Amino acid sequence: MNKNAPIAIFDSGMGGLSVFREIEKLMPHENLIYFGDTARVPYGTRSAETIEKFVKSDLDFLAQFEPKHIVVACGTASSVGNKVLKKECEHFTSVITPSAIAATKATKNGKIGVISTVATLKSGAFVRKIKKMMPQAQVYTQATQLFVNLVENGFDENSEVAEVVAKAYLKDLKKAEVDTLILGCTHFPLLSKVIGRQMGEGVTLISSGYETALATKMDLEALGLLNESDAPGTKRFFVSDDLHTFCEMGAIFLKHPLNKKEVELAQIN
Ligand code: DGL
């Protein structure tokens, strides 16, 4: 396998950029391809069959770049699409295991909360993974699907609507006294301040972005596939719809401007 080949990172939309940003920081010499399936976002409200079909076509699109590694920067694709990923990818890093490991390390009272999309919750992937690592853990789950819409529509963590929605969604997790909360969808780190305010100071938030980037680096190291070049890595972004919104919102995710010329329209089947 060619060490200069790109790492391909994908999500249903913009959320995966929260993983991309951490990978870019941690591995500045890697060539990166990002694909956001903005024509079909959200994935989290769909059936498992539909999500599996989407994941297969996302992988087919990315195959043309001959990536050395796939990063599934989407909680929904990682959990519901796991079978397809295992069948189609030689190796990949998803957001489930890294987040579960971090949460089991962080918790002191053994009460872990998970917020995610509806489809991720239904898959049970986070609960299974946490219980496997820490059988005595008490895991509390809550689907917070509206968070995805808030983020995709530009409502940030200081907006009034985000505060109201977070309060309603998080009250049961607060009552359960979880001391650790997994942000099980890659869109959620953009709302981490409002989520943190609602949960209270003593609760550790686990963001899949950093944890997944670190796991990706470790996976590449173990495979002997880290890029040894000193040059800054190249970056290409693809979306299946609406370049304009992606550039605008993408800049917020990446915390640096995203030039329209860097983003291309993807043809997916
Ligand atoms: N970013 C996706 C995830 O991590 C969710 C958004 C969606 O519903 O498509 O689950």
Side-chain angles (χ1 to χ4, degrees):
M1 183 78 71
N2 177 2
K3 291 182 186 179
N4 290 318
I7 302 173
I9 302 159
F10 78 97
D11 178 41
S12 59
M14 283 179 273
L17 290 175
S18 59
V19 179
F20 183 99
R21 181 180 72 205
E22 299 296 339
I23 291 182
E24 173 177 65
K25 263 200 276 178
L26 204 62
M27 292 176 275
H29 306 298
E30 293 293 343
N31 301 314
L32 306 178
I33 304 270
Y34 182 85
F35 172 55
D37 192 6
T38 49
R40 301 187 295 197
V41 69
Y43 282 11
T45 49
R46 319 256 184 186
S47 69
E49 293 72 30
T50 301
I51 294 166
E52 283 177 345
K53 249 189 260 160
F54 287 176
V55 171
K56 169 81 172 74
S57 77
D58 297 343
L59 294 172
D60 288 345
F61 170 73
L62 291 169
Q64 66 182 295
F65 305 106
E66 299 180 1
K68 62 180 177 183
H69 195 68
I70 300 280
V71 178
V72 192
C74 173
T76 311
S78 299
S79 54
V80 184
N82 192 39
K83 253 191 249 151
V84 181
L85 291 161
K86 279 191 173 149
K87 189 164 158 230
E88 301 290 327
C89 307
E90 214 173 305
H91 39 81
F92 64 92
T93 306
S94 87
V95 297
I96 309 291
T97 307
S99 310
I101 292 175
T104 52
K105 276 191 194 153
T107 186
K108 297 212 164 57
N109 68 3
K111 293 183 179 185
I112 298 172
V114 183
I115 53 173
S116 69
T117 64
V118 177
T120 298
L121 188 147
K122 277 196 206 153
S123 78
F126 275 111
V127 180
R128 271 196 307 279
K129 193 56 87 182
I130 295 166
K131 286 281 195 186
K132 200 169 162 193
M133 288 171 196
M134 193 180 188
Q136 75 280 20
Q138 287 172 268
V139 188
Y140 300 85
T141 57
Q142 174 72 52
T144 55
Q145 187 69 46
L146 273 180
F147 283 167
V148 178
N149 301 56
L150 288 177
V151 169
E152 291 278 334
N153 288 290
F155 289 102
D156 70 14
E157 49 199 2
N158 296 315
S159 63
E160 220 173 295
V161 62
E163 201 78 54
V164 171
V165 173
K167 188 173 183 185
Y169 271 146
L170 302 173
K171 67 175 189 317
D172 289 344
L173 292 173
K174 217 175 151 178
K175 229 187 263 166
E177 297 181 336
V178 302
D179 71 351
T180 304
L181 181 65
I182 295 181
L183 309 185
C185 166
T186 50
H187 281 69
F188 299 170
L190 259 91
L191 297 175
S192 59
K193 280 201 190 119
V194 63
I195 294 168
R197 271 199 301 275
Q198 288 300 329
M199 291 306 294
E201 264 183 19
V203 177
T204 307
L205 303 186
I206 306 292
S207 153
S208 50
Y210 175 70
E211 305 302 336
T212 307
L214 203 61
T216 303
K217 188 171 184 193
M218 279 158 62
D219 287 347
L220 286 172
E221 233 159 35
L223 292 160
L225 281 179
L226 279 175
N227 198 329
E228 284 155 4
S229 154
D230 288 335
T234 59
K235 271 137 225 175
R236 291 180 76 181
F237 299 89
F238 293 87
V239 286
S240 47
D241 199 7
D242 197 359
L243 298 183
H244 182 74
T245 309
F246 184 83
C247 288
E248 231 170 64
M249 294 298 298
I252 300 175
F253 271 91
L254 292 174
K255 300 194 172 141
H256 61 70
L258 187 57
N259 194 316
K260 248 194 196 156
K261 286 190 199 119
E262 291 175 278
V263 187
E264 298 164 63
L265 202 60
Q267 292 301 331
I268 46 160
N269 297 309

